[in-house]
Amino acid sequence: RSVIASLWPVKDTGTAQLMTNFYDRYREGQSKSASLREAQLAMIAGGGTNANPNIWAAFTLLGAWR
C-alpha cells in the first residue's frame, strides 16, 4: 500500500542506516510517515557524512502514509 522511494541515487551505507532507523521506529508503533521523519532527523543528529541532506533527503513515502 505504500513505498519509500529514493528520488536520486544515494550511497548504500547511508541508506542502510536510514532504513534501520525507520524500521526500528515503525516496529515500535510509530506511523510510517513519523518513522521516516524521525529516522531522517536521527541522521542529521548523528552528524558525519550521513547528516548530509544528499543522503537522507532523497527518500519520500508514497501511498498509504499512516
Side-chain angles (χ1 to χ4, degrees):
R1 296 183 190 251
S2 60
V3 64
I4 295 177
S6 172
L7 300 175
W8 56 81
V10 294
K11 295 182 180 180
D12 290 342
T13 55
T15 301
Q17 183 177 351
L18 181 71
M19 291 299 117
T20 298
N21 288 337
F22 168 80
Y23 281 108
D24 287 346
R25 286 161 175 73
Y26 187 60
R27 273 188 238 116
E28 291 172 356
Q30 290 187 12
S31 69
K32 295 172 204 165
S33 58
S35 296
L36 180 58
R37 179 182 182 278
E38 293 297 321
Q40 289 171 323
L41 290 173
M43 297 284 280
I44 296 167
T49 59
N50 287 338
N52 184 331
N54 191 47
I55 303 291
W56 56 265
F59 294 91
T60 187
L61 178 64
L62 305 167
W65 51 269
R66 294 181 198 194

